[in-house]
Amino acid sequence: MLFQKKNAAPLKRAYPVPEHVAIIMDGNGRWAKKRGLPRTAGHSAGSETFRRIATYCRDIGMRYLTVYAFSTENWKRSEEEVAAIMSLLKKYLLEAIDEMEEDHIRLHFFGDLSAISPELRELTQRTDAISEKYDGFQVNVCLNYGGRDEICRAAREFARRCAAGECKPEELDENGFSELLYSAGIPDPDLIIRPSGEVRISNFLLWQSAYAEYYFTDVLWPDFTPQELEKAIEAFHRRDRRYGGVKR
Ligand code: IPE
Ligand code: IPE
Ligand code: MG
């Protein structure tokens, strides 16, 4: 099953849960290499971590979790590795559909799904459609996602609407542009976590991250635990989010 059963009542929290957390699930390959295993074993372990962390996020009352599962650049990897990642995704979506009536989790996708296999695409559409009615915890899975690609598509769509006479260039503002992105209607992430020691954004949520707080850790994604997530949440609450203003 994609999401484990609800745990016992959540512990009293020292810090409130951010509304929207986004995670770059990185470090699967290095995790496997350290153990002398093929990279695909790392992806498999990473997907278990995803289940655990998503369950935990739901149980502590988070509203949105956005995870980077496959980027527009990840096609550069070997055919075998790409196939393994796609097959793990397929397995989870099948499980998610099975468990949906019980889990009540909204599963949504960000990315260009036209490039994935018709079978996987159909599963994403089905998962999205079935879970649309749930308005509690939402997981956004970024699949064949690239921040630049997302912005280009939005610009293209706006240009198309202008050319069709539906709107005028001067009418576009930041809110209107946001509504053309995959994340339309979803608040920007408060906190973006990147495990694995890399300190870069790798084309993730470029527009939406304008005022996100970042948290980097050396822990590899398959080793990432709810305790690590709590460390990130704690760090987030020590930040002073000024949004360009002055500290009061
Ligand atoms: C993240 O782990 C998973 C994907 C990008 C699909 P990596 O596979 O990038 O792991 P490293 O960075 O090579 O360790
Ligand atoms: C970012 O990780 C993409 C995902 C985690 C899905 P990468 O491993 O692809 O990023 P780089 O190559 O280190 O920048
Ligand atoms: Mg990586």
Side-chain angles (χ1 to χ4, degrees), residues 70-73 75 82 86 111-122 124-125 143-145 149 153 182:
F70 193 87
S71 77
T72 45
E73 288 75 38
W75 298 104
V82 171
M86 296 300 164
D112 176 10
L113 302 181
S114 69
I116 61 171
S117 76
E119 188 191 17
L120 188 56
R121 187 166 56 246
E122 195 272 326
T124 59
Q125 286 159 350
L143 177 50
N144 192 24
Y145 174 86
D149 181 60
R153 286 167 171 271
Y182 295 123

Side-chain angles (χ1 to χ4, degrees), residues 23-27 30 39 68-71 73-74 77 142 194 196 198 200-202:
I23 306 181
I24 300 175
M25 304 189 290
D26 195 20
R30 279 162 284 170
R39 292 180 60 84
Y68 207 0
F70 193 87
S71 77
E73 288 75 38
N74 287 149
R77 300 183 179 204
C142 298
R194 183 165 194 162
S196 93
E198 309 297 356
R200 56 176 169 259
I201 199 67
S202 300

Side-chain angles (χ1 to χ4, degrees), residues 5-226:
K5 296 281 177 297
K6 244 190 161 73
N7 293 337
L11 296 170
K12 202 168 177 301
R13 303 191 48 80
Y15 302 95
V17 180
E19 183 183 28
H20 185 174
V21 173
I23 306 181
I24 300 175
M25 304 189 290
D26 195 20
N28 295 349
R30 279 162 284 170
W31 182 92
K33 194 172 176 203
K34 261 171 60 181
R35 286 163 179 74
L37 297 169
R39 292 180 60 84
T40 50
H43 295 309
S44 193
S47 59
E48 294 301 327
T49 302
F50 164 66
R51 294 172 193 224
R52 269 196 308 279
I53 295 299
T55 304
Y56 186 77
C57 290
R58 179 195 65 184
D59 291 348
I60 61 176
M62 193 179 289
R63 181 69 180 84
Y64 299 97
L65 171 69
T66 300
V67 291
Y68 207 0
F70 193 87
S71 77
T72 45
E73 288 75 38
N74 287 149
W75 298 104
K76 292 174 190 162
R77 300 183 179 204
S78 74
E79 222 174 281
E80 186 202 354
E81 182 170 347
V82 171
I85 295 169
M86 296 300 164
S87 130
L88 282 166
L89 279 162
K90 181 181 153 193
K91 182 169 164 240
Y92 297 137
L93 294 187
L94 285 170
E95 289 169 2
I97 290 169
D98 260 9
E99 299 294 327
M100 216 140 246
E101 293 303 324
E102 221 175 296
D103 285 334
H104 286 213
I105 290 162
R106 171 103 168 86
L107 262 183
H108 187 57
F109 299 86
F110 292 178
D112 176 10
L113 302 181
S114 69
I116 61 171
S117 76
E119 188 191 17
L120 188 56
R121 187 166 56 246
E122 195 272 326
L123 276 176
T124 59
Q125 286 159 350
R126 197 138 47 99
T127 324
D128 213 331
I130 305 173
S131 68
E132 206 179 24
K133 55 184 181 280
Y134 304 128
D135 58 3
F137 178 49
Q138 173 166 333
V139 178
N140 305 306
V141 180
C142 298
L143 177 50
N144 192 24
Y145 174 86
R148 287 186 169 183
D149 181 60
E150 178 182 36
I151 292 168
C152 268
R153 286 167 171 271
R156 218 179 290 138
E157 172 59 17
F158 184 70
R160 190 201 60 74
R161 289 183 193 179
C162 288
E166 295 165 21
C167 47
K168 297 197 181 77
E170 57 274 21
E171 286 167 4
L172 185 64
D173 61 11
E174 291 182 13
N175 288 335
F177 195 73
S178 294
E179 288 309 305
L180 297 171
L181 301 174
Y182 295 123
S183 54
I186 299 168
D188 288 343
D190 300 294
L191 169 64
I192 297 182
I193 300 173
R194 183 165 194 162
S196 93
E198 309 297 356
V199 187
R200 56 176 169 259
I201 199 67
S202 300
N203 208 6
F204 188 46
L205 303 179
L206 297 183
W207 173 276
Q208 299 88 339
S209 63
Y211 271 102
E213 296 294 330
Y214 287 105
Y215 181 85
F216 296 100
T217 167
D218 288 342
V219 172
L220 302 172
W221 175 246
D223 292 328
F224 195 86
T225 56

